Amino acid sequence: MNKRIFFDKTLVKFLLVGVCNTLVGSAVMFALYNFGGMSYWIASAANYIVGGAVSFFLNKYFTFQARGWSWKQVARFALNLAICYLLAYGMAKPLVELLFTSQPIRVQENAAMLAGICLYTVLNYFGQRWFAFKGDAT
């Protein structure tokens, strides 16, 4: 299999955009959870609501250079984010709870949010590349 299918300049650009989104979104998520009294699901969802709009524009024009505009593309992007979010955080929480059973719930859920970030990043890259912006690059 050709390595360029998985590793090319879009991956580097995606990761640069992701660093910005992750810093901002994670700050919101951990602040809402640890200081705002929000639940695991609300705090982690806020992370992706905050970063979603910025991610859309930066990845659309900078990472994947998709120049066209359509509501279908916006819908594919939003669907990709929702699926990646549900998969990543849905898998992270039970896995971390299993691994950290002796830890307090706060430790478990903070660790699950960190694990969710990692899973989400991998899923989201491939979802944006092969679904959200597929065929739209110039």
Side-chain angles (χ1 to χ4, degrees), residues 9-10 13-14 17 54-74 76-77 127-138:
K9 67 182 179 179
T10 63
K13 289 179 176 183
F14 181 82
V17 168
V54 172
S55 176
F56 177 79
F57 288 104
L58 287 177
N59 282 314
K60 174 180 172 53
Y61 295 111
F62 174 68
T63 304
F64 300 108
Q65 298 179 359
R67 301 295 178 208
W69 175 263
S70 72
W71 286 109
K72 182 179 177 183
Q73 184 182 68
V74 173
R76 287 191 322 243
F77 181 84
Q128 284 190 41
R129 182 171 178 175
W130 291 330
F131 175 68
F133 298 121
K134 181 179 175 73
D136 295 329
T138 58

Side-chain angles (χ1 to χ4, degrees), residues 3-138:
K3 286 172 111 176
R4 295 193 70 204
I5 290 173
F6 295 107
F7 304 106
D8 63 6
K9 67 182 179 179
T10 63
L11 179 60
V12 174
K13 289 179 176 183
F14 181 82
L15 292 173
L16 289 172
V17 168
V19 167
C20 296
N21 288 334
T22 299
L23 290 174
V24 172
S26 296
V28 168
M29 176 174 65
F30 287 114
L32 287 175
Y33 181 78
N34 290 300
F35 305 113
M38 300 293 170
S39 73
Y40 171 86
W41 289 107
I42 291 173
S44 62
N47 181 355
Y48 296 98
I49 292 169
V50 169
V54 172
S55 176
F56 177 79
F57 288 104
L58 287 177
N59 282 314
K60 174 180 172 53
Y61 295 111
F62 174 68
T63 304
F64 300 108
Q65 298 179 359
R67 301 295 178 208
W69 175 263
S70 72
W71 286 109
K72 182 179 177 183
Q73 184 182 68
V74 173
R76 287 191 322 243
F77 181 84
L79 179 61
N80 176 63
L81 290 186
I83 290 169
C84 292
Y85 167 74
L86 291 171
L87 285 173
Y89 284 83
M91 290 186 297
K93 191 167 178 22
L95 178 63
V96 169
E97 286 173 351
L98 181 68
L99 295 173
F100 293 89
T101 55
S102 63
Q103 296 298 315
I105 192 75
R106 247 247 202 277
V107 171
Q108 290 178 13
E109 290 188 339
N110 275 287
M113 287 187 279
L114 284 172
I117 289 169
C118 297
L119 291 168
Y120 177 87
T121 300
V122 172
L123 295 170
N124 187 35
Y125 171 72
F126 291 112
Q128 284 190 41
R129 182 171 178 175
W130 291 330
F131 175 68
F133 298 121
K134 181 179 175 73
D136 295 329
T138 58

